[in-house]
Amino acid sequence: MLKTKIADPTRPGSLAYSARARRWAELLRYFPDLAEMHILDLGGTPTAWRAAPVRPAHVVTVNLDPHTARHVEVGITPVVADACELSLPATVSTKKFDLVYSNSVLEHVGGHYRRQQFADTVHTHADHHWVQTPYRYFPVEPHWLFPGLQWLPFRARVAISQHWPYGHIPRAGHFQATRDVQEVELLSVAEMRSYFPASTIWFERFAGLPKSLVARK
């Protein structure tokens, strides 16, 4: 029940739901013509856009998970591909995108080289972007909802991941928990600015503290 009240973004009244609503309000304030845009969503899913408060003119979602491409509908084109080495199919590659959008993906791509590739994809495909990632120095790690998890030794993080029942990442055996911990690398402000030097960094806050970073342009 606690996990649902905190982490379920589809549950009105949860902290995650409120945070998502505030983020959407800021996105629409910054891009008031979002409903008219053609958007490339790196790491997104059609399901997320079905639930969006505003539906853009067209969205191309890029995701490694083939399950995200099962349901095609008007206005949303799912593509199974690697956002860090993006090769779009001919049916969409010639389209001009107004905005590249990404939500909580950059911390998952794997190391500096891959993050730079991801940023290059963002810069290549549109003049404008909105790239969000959790902030490394927020006191609660957002994937596990565990205080200070990101600053603990690797072995301790794996042990917690095996037993901690909250957050978005389910408990697992040692092998999977190790992979889960290895797969998440939260970013600092300096790192975010290095990948998006011409962007404004917006600090999404919770209780007055920076919770996540958004590079926007």
Side-chain angles (χ1 to χ4, degrees), residues 126-148:
D127 293 330
H128 301 285
H129 55 256
W130 174 282
V131 179
Q132 182 270 351
T133 191
Y135 180 44
R136 174 173 174 77
Y137 296 104
F138 185 70
V140 178
E141 204 290 332
H143 301 87
W144 282 271
L145 298 181
F146 191 94

Side-chain angles (χ1 to χ4, degrees), residues 8-68:
D8 185 355
T10 66
R11 179 188 174 98
S14 74
L15 295 178
Y17 184 92
S18 299
R20 178 169 291 187
R22 289 193 299 270
R23 191 180 303 159
W24 264 102
E26 181 63 19
L27 174 66
L28 292 171
R29 187 195 69 79
Y30 201 76
F31 296 108
D33 55 345
L34 187 77
E36 303 168 12
M37 287 184 166
H38 290 259
I39 294 177
L40 177 65
D41 182 355
L42 301 180
T45 66
T47 300
W49 286 101
R50 292 188 198 105
V54 174
R55 177 73 71 88
H58 193 88
V59 179
V60 174
T61 63
V62 175
N63 201 298
L64 287 170
D65 186 355
H67 291 91
T68 63

Side-chain angles (χ1 to χ4, degrees), residues 14 18-19 46 49 56 63 70 85 89 91 102 119 142 167 178 195 199:
S14 74
S18 299
W49 286 101
N63 201 298
R70 284 184 174 179
E85 300 180 75
T91 52
S102 180
T178 299
Y195 298 124
S199 307

Side-chain angles (χ1 to χ4, degrees), residues 5-211:
K5 288 182 178 179
I6 295 175
D8 185 355
T10 66
R11 179 188 174 98
S14 74
L15 295 178
Y17 184 92
S18 299
R20 178 169 291 187
R22 289 193 299 270
R23 191 180 303 159
W24 264 102
E26 181 63 19
L27 174 66
L28 292 171
R29 187 195 69 79
Y30 201 76
F31 296 108
D33 55 345
L34 187 77
E36 303 168 12
M37 287 184 166
H38 290 259
I39 294 177
L40 177 65
D41 182 355
L42 301 180
T45 66
T47 300
W49 286 101
R50 292 188 198 105
V54 174
R55 177 73 71 88
H58 193 88
V59 179
V60 174
T61 63
V62 175
N63 201 298
L64 287 170
D65 186 355
H67 291 91
T68 63
R70 284 184 174 179
H71 304 290
V72 180
E73 62 183 84
V74 175
I76 304 177
T77 302
V79 174
V80 179
D82 184 346
C84 298
E85 300 180 75
L86 185 57
S87 178
L88 292 170
T91 52
V92 297
S93 61
T94 58
K95 293 182 179 179
K96 176 176 173 57
F97 294 102
D98 302 303
L99 175 71
V100 175
Y101 174 93
S102 180
N103 186 65
S104 295
V105 175
L106 187 57
E107 73 274 17
H108 294 283
V109 299
H112 163 68
Y113 179 72
R114 295 269 296 167
R115 288 193 294 269
Q116 186 60 65
Q117 285 184 307
F118 185 95
D120 291 343
T121 297
V122 172
H123 299 312
T124 297
H125 285 85
D127 293 330
H128 301 285
H129 55 256
W130 174 282
V131 179
Q132 182 270 351
T133 191
Y135 180 44
R136 174 173 174 77
Y137 296 104
F138 185 70
V140 178
E141 204 290 332
H143 301 87
W144 282 271
L145 298 181
F146 191 94
L149 180 72
Q150 65 271 37
W151 306 318
L152 296 177
F154 183 81
R155 181 181 294 183
R157 284 181 279 155
V158 172
I160 290 168
S161 187
Q162 289 179 263
H163 302 288
W164 184 249
Y166 306 115
H168 306 289
I169 297 178
R171 288 175 289 183
H174 184 268
F175 177 78
Q176 184 59 48
T178 299
R179 293 187 61 130
D180 290 338
V181 170
Q182 288 174 325
E183 198 256 339
V184 177
E185 297 177 277
L186 301 184
L187 278 72
S188 68
V189 177
E191 288 173 307
M192 195 67 165
R193 286 182 172 143
S194 73
Y195 298 124
F196 302 97
S199 307
T200 300
I201 305 298
W202 176 60
F203 295 85
E204 181 182 10
R205 296 179 182 272
F206 178 79
L209 299 174
K211 174 182 174 290

